[in-house]
Amino acid sequence: MLRNDDGIPTRVPDDWYVGFHAGLAARFWRAAGAAMADADEQVLQRVLGGTPGALLDVPCGDGRLALRLARAGWRVTGIDLAPAEVELARDRARAEALDATFLVGDLRELPHVGGFDVVLSWGNGFGYLTPAETTTSLRGLRDALRPGGRLVLETLTAAESLLVGGIEAAAAHEFGGIRMEVTNRYRAEESRLESDLRFEADGVVEHARVAHRVHTTGELVRLLLGAGFAEVDLRGPDGIAPFALGDPRLIAVARA
């Protein structure tokens, strides 16, 4: 944990995610995402159901889920802040001649796209932004939907998921031959989880920092309703059963 001259941990910048997906961090997240893709796709197929239509995936990363949904018949548009990840997704879509378009864009100010049947916010991207930016972003996601369309939002950092079991001070994970060591700090005055990351592979060490704002489920529902959504349905990890206290994953389905 980075500290100032007085020994107090320094605050992770609000825009930590700008430029985050590079080097070992990008390689680690691609490998971790690929390892989870089969299970995530199964849950999504249960949530989405019905006839495939037009779907916006934001943030889409390297297209790990958008490409799978395109193969299943969805007309997919993916948006992500990281140009290198977007280019990877484009290359894969071109190689398979899939009905998928990928754009560089920012959750804080989405490109002018609309008319989607589904907007997908998967991979724990909710919580990156400041409170004001979150409000603006949710309105942008709402505006991207046709009337009656659905937002499917996944988060692993709802208060009822993250806090009930306590937050580990440190942890370690390995994907794709890259080891990531995590040191956590919770800023209660902001409901903000901050993490310092150390990546190591083949004798190379790199560092990064991340932060997530922690929202209660009730707060999330109020934010969605305030952004113009209705019929907010909170589901647990399997995408079917209602969300319950302590479930490690929350899936919110909200209708425009």
Side-chain angles (χ1 to χ4, degrees), residues 44 47-48 54-59 107 110 116-122 126 134 137-146 148-154 220-221 223-225 227-235 251-256:
L44 271 174
V47 174
L48 297 175
L55 181 142
L56 174 64
D57 181 10
V58 56
L107 272 170
L110 289 172
F116 290 96
D117 300 295
V118 173
V119 169
L120 179 65
S121 176
W122 202 265
F126 180 74
T134 296
S137 179
L138 289 176
R139 287 174 180 160
L141 298 179
R142 163 63 184 85
D143 290 344
L145 285 164
R146 65 164 178 78
R150 293 173 293 162
L151 169 69
V152 178
L153 184 152
E154 179 213 33
L220 173 57
V221 170
L223 284 168
L224 290 169
L225 294 176
F229 290 97
E231 301 179 28
V232 180
D233 183 15
L234 302 183
R235 306 183 189 181
I251 300 169
V253 181
R255 194 169 297 277

Side-chain angles (χ1 to χ4, degrees), residues 87-133:
E87 195 55 41
L88 280 173
R90 286 172 177 165
D91 288 345
R92 292 166 180 165
R94 282 193 292 264
E96 297 185 49
L98 293 172
D99 190 356
T101 300
F102 293 94
L103 307 171
V104 176
D106 193 323
L107 272 170
R108 295 169 293 184
E109 189 175 358
L110 289 172
H112 294 292
V113 293
F116 290 96
D117 300 295
V118 173
V119 169
L120 179 65
S121 176
W122 202 265
N124 209 35
F126 180 74
Y128 284 6
L129 306 180
T130 66
E133 290 168 343

